[in-house]
Amino acid sequence: MRAAIRLADADGLVAVSVRKVAAALDVGPMRLYGYITTKEELLDLMVDSVYAEVRPAGDGWREVLRSLAETTRQAAHQHEWLADLIGGRPQLGPHALARGEAVVAAMRGVDVDVVMPVVDAVNAYVIGAVRREITEQRAERATGMDKTQWQTAFGPYLERTFASGRFPALSTVIRDGVHLDADQTFRTGLDFLLDGIQAHISS
């Protein structure tokens, strides 16, 4: 899997196939087809290998859920292609199951009917946040403009639009509200989610 992950890290998922991995390993593709028959199987194995890097830890369910969120985000930024593969059907590989076991075990004592909706909510938040961040990074590479340059380019348009008075609430938030960086945005949103979960469990 290391060879497949190296290809994907360097050039994205388009660079990954059983034949390309075989070429990177300098072996015939038929050697790999004895173990992996489709690209989908290869991608599943790659995701599970990366999940070995996601090791939720902490004291209590809140710390473990925060760790789950942050380590999953870190893995996705280290392996950008992961953002394209998470969020579908549950991963059932050994590392994915170990990740799930660590999280669910930390929620021992919480109503069993609440456990999976809570875990799903945190996973959904992480997937959405990570995909937004990765999409922004890809846009920067495609356009050659970082976030500040993009804001500068579109600033005059927004000033004219807001001057029309049609969007007073939005104008106030953008002009007067605090502007957080990606790390702050992620952690603030995660705090909102965990606070809501804690309130629900406590009630």
Side-chain angles (χ1 to χ4, degrees), residues 3 17 21 27 29-30 32 42 53 57 60 62 79 83 92 96 98 107 123 141 150 169 178 191 195 203:
S17 70
V21 172
V27 299
M30 295 311 296
L32 292 188
L42 178 61
E53 303 170 17
R62 184 174 177 127
H79 308 286
L92 301 177
M107 300 195 71
N123 280 328
R141 290 198 299 269
W150 182 85
V178 64
D191 280 336
D195 287 347
S203 66

Side-chain angles (χ1 to χ4, degrees), residues 46-57 64-79 82 86 94-103 123 126:
M46 289 167 61
V47 171
D48 195 63
S49 292
V50 171
Y51 275 156
E53 303 170 17
V54 180
R55 301 178 182 274
V64 170
L65 287 175
R66 179 179 297 284
S67 176
L68 168 69
E70 291 180 345
T71 55
T72 302
R73 179 178 180 241
Q74 289 164 8
H77 279 284
Q78 186 173 351
H79 308 286
L82 184 65
I86 55 177
H95 296 302
L97 292 176
R99 169 181 177 262
E101 176 67 18
V103 173
N123 280 328
V126 175

Side-chain angles (χ1 to χ4, degrees), residues 104-117:
V104 172
M107 300 195 71
R108 193 174 290 113
V110 175
D111 182 350
V112 69
D113 292 332
V114 172
V115 171
M116 289 316 299

